[in-house]
Amino acid sequence: GPPGSSAQTRHSGHPAAGMILFALTAFVLLGIERFLYGYIYHFPESFKKVCRGPLKPLLDYSEGKYWMVAKHLGVVIKVFQFGVIGYDLLSRGPRLAMAPCLLLGAVLTGLGQVLNASTFNAIGAVGVYYGANLGENLPWCTSFPYNLGISDPQYWGVVLCVWGMYIALAGTSGGIARHFVVPILELFWYVASMKILEDYENGAAALAMIGWKPEVA
């Protein structure tokens, strides 16, 4: 081939290889939070035992409330999610999209924030952080946003926020496929949570495939 062709080939392969490496890393980091909550959902008694053992200082700090331990762990583990999103956008130089995408992104982000905030308002942090699974006596909620006919409104709120933000910043360098890697991965993990990791029937079936059985809270 012509001089330098092999070098050009190697150079042209770097962006794709870099995207694959980033996607794999982001896939693992974004999944950590989902598996933590899946563990608490399906194995609440095991989680309580861990709280009374290695996490005893955190349980004491949480006033003996297991759901507060879950909340504190959730706040800490958000570092992975925020870190992935922050690195992704800042490393590529975030730029606003054209007006139509900017408007769509703002609307989706706003809707996501409404769903997220209204979920906390409806069931409180104790409900969001698995209080019902961890022994708290909570009434069944039928008010907004649980009267919309959608499952897991808070999770859909997070998905809408992430997609809205990325659509609003669609002017960021890297191409469309590269730009939406994180939103696609977030959608995958949150749907996996809703349909398997935090769904008793489907989750039990998945656990049975590896010889495990969920606990009953």
Side-chain angles (χ1 to χ4, degrees):
S5 61
S6 60
Q8 289 174 354
T9 301
R10 288 196 301 271
H11 179 74
S12 65
H14 289 172
M19 184 175 77
I20 292 171
L21 179 60
F22 170 76
L24 290 174
T25 303
F27 179 81
V28 172
L29 294 177
L30 294 174
I32 293 173
E33 180 186 35
R34 302 293 95 219
F35 276 102
L36 169 65
Y37 292 148
Y39 166 64
I40 296 173
Y41 182 89
H42 287 290
F43 301 97
E45 295 305 319
S46 175
F47 176 70
K48 289 180 184 179
K49 186 175 180 180
V50 172
C51 288
R52 294 190 298 268
L55 295 181
K56 185 65 164 59
L58 184 56
L59 181 63
D60 292 339
Y61 177 77
S62 302
E63 304 168 12
K65 299 287 188 181
Y66 297 109
W67 72 266
M68 288 184 67
V69 175
K71 176 185 176 182
H72 293 314
L73 290 175
V75 170
V76 171
I77 215 165
K78 276 292 180 186
V79 169
F80 293 114
Q81 185 180 43
F82 292 153
V84 167
I85 293 173
Y87 170 81
D88 182 35
L89 292 174
L90 293 176
S91 66
R92 294 185 293 121
R95 288 186 299 177
L96 294 176
M98 300 294 286
C101 286
L102 185 59
L103 178 60
L104 174 60
V107 169
L108 291 177
T109 301
L111 289 174
Q113 291 288 4
V114 167
L115 287 175
N116 192 45
S118 60
T119 299
F120 274 88
N121 184 61
I123 64 176
V126 61
V128 171
Y129 290 101
Y130 309 93
N133 300 71
L134 296 171
E136 300 292 333
N137 186 19
L138 301 177
W140 189 258
C141 181
T142 57
S143 61
F144 184 82
Y146 291 94
N147 57 3
L148 294 176
I150 60 174
S151 64
D152 305 282
Q154 195 236 344
Y155 281 179
W156 284 116
V158 175
V159 170
L160 287 175
C161 281
V162 172
W163 276 89
M165 178 171 61
Y166 271 80
I167 289 172
L169 294 172
T172 303
S173 64
I176 293 296
R178 171 63 182 85
H179 183 64
F180 287 103
V181 165
V182 169
I184 290 170
L185 292 177
E186 289 280 41
L187 177 62
F188 169 84
W189 277 122
Y190 276 93
V191 170
S193 283
M194 291 183 275
K195 300 302 182 184
I196 299 176
L197 297 177
E198 295 177 52
D199 181 274
Y200 186 81
E201 186 176 342
N202 294 336
L207 288 170
M209 294 175 66
I210 56 174
W212 291 358
K213 185 177 181 180
E215 300 165 353
V216 178

